[in-house]
Every structure is written in C-alpha cells, then in structure tokens.
Amino acid sequence: MKKFVLFLLLNLAGVFFLYGQNNTAAGHQRKAITFLIDQYSEAREKRDTVLLKTILTSNVDQLVSTGEWRNGIGDAVQGMLKSSANSPGTRTLQVDKIRMLNPMTAIVDCKYEIQNTDSSMRRMWSVFIVVAEKEAWKISAIRNMLPASQ
C-alpha cells in the first residue's frame, strides 16, 4: 500500500512539474513592454540618443533588413541614427504578439512600417528580445525582416 501511495504521489508531482508554463504576458508586463517599444519608436523618430541608451542593454545586437549586424550599444545607436538619416520617414511599430520565455524575458513581434517621404510605404516585421534589468524592461536584441514576396 505504501508503494502504491508513493507511486501515486510521484506521478501527481511529475504531472505538476511537467505541466507547460503559461507564456502569455500578464497585463502589467504587456503594458510595460508595449511602453518600451513605444519609447524605442519615439527615440528613433526624434533621434534621441539619451533615450536609446536608457532602453537598450549594453550588449544589444541588431540585425537589420539589409543584413548588417550591429553589436553593442555604440554600434546600435550609431547605426540607428545613420539609418534614420538615410531613410527619412515616419516609423510606426505596432506590437502584434508578446511571448514570455520566463518572467524576466520576452519575445515581442511587431509590425514595422516606414512611411517614406514620397508617400510610399515600407512594410516589415521586427522581433525584439526584451529583458527585465534592474526593475526596468530593456531591449536586448532586434531583428528586422522584409516579408517574402508572394
């Protein structure tokens, strides 16, 4: 009987520990992460290096749609300023989905549009890896992608 009870308890404990985690962002997490993406968009629009440096991790890396890698906060900020100067227009990022990897890390999928000065629209996707660092969300990685033509 003792073996049966032990077997039952171990199985119940196994089910409890193996049960998949909920990877949906809680309301406060979603609000804070969306605000972070809005700050990034604002910093890019205004070319605000001070704001960029407060919302990016020091080891941030970015892969842009041209295939250029930007490693570290210095390269990332310089590249962002150069890109904004070379491709003027209104940038819009809209959070589409947030997937929590754990309470301190998330993947954020965004629709990324650039309204060019000639009124044409460039539609892309951006993926952000964000981390909670010292009680604030920061961007650790950015991947910009052009959708494949269909």
Side-chain angles (χ1 to χ4, degrees):
M1 182 68 172
K2 288 181 186 179
K3 287 182 182 179
F4 177 74
V5 171
L6 182 61
F7 177 75
L8 183 62
L9 288 174
L10 287 173
N11 278 316
L12 288 174
V15 168
F16 175 75
F17 288 115
L18 294 176
Y19 182 75
Q21 68 183 21
N22 181 2
N23 61 5
T24 304
H28 70 281
Q29 290 170 317
R30 183 168 188 78
K31 185 177 179 180
I33 292 169
T34 300
F35 180 69
L36 173 68
I37 301 303
D38 290 344
Q39 284 184 304
Y40 171 78
S41 187
E42 177 185 333
R44 287 293 306 268
E45 196 68 32
K46 294 180 179 178
R47 299 180 189 159
D48 185 343
T49 59
V50 174
L51 180 54
L52 279 172
K53 289 177 181 177
T54 62
I55 62 173
L56 301 173
T57 61
S58 60
N59 64 343
V60 66
D61 67 71
Q62 181 180 25
L63 176 62
V64 299
S65 58
T66 62
E68 175 191 356
W69 278 100
R70 300 172 183 161
N71 293 300
I73 196 164
D75 283 350
V77 170
Q78 275 186 330
M80 290 173 193
L81 292 176
K82 182 179 169 188
S83 174
S84 293
N86 291 342
S87 302
T90 303
R91 287 168 166 72
T92 305
L93 281 161
Q94 180 183 348
V95 174
D96 186 60
K97 182 171 52 173
I98 299 173
R99 179 176 170 211
M100 301 301 297
L101 298 178
N102 61 49
M104 310 265 301
T105 311
I107 300 171
V108 185
D109 295 320
C110 296
K111 293 177 182 174
Y112 182 24
E113 296 181 341
I114 301 174
Q115 176 81 41
N116 297 311
T117 54
D118 66 358
S119 296
S120 65
M121 184 71 74
R122 186 172 183 204
R123 290 181 171 86
M124 297 179 284
W125 283 96
S126 283
V127 176
F128 294 82
I129 306 297
V130 298
V131 295
E133 189 176 273
K134 297 180 183 176
E135 300 183 25
W137 286 97
K138 292 192 173 197
I139 298 167
S140 179
I142 304 168
R143 304 293 182 262
N144 295 330
M145 297 154 273
L146 291 169
S149 58
Q150 302 200 13

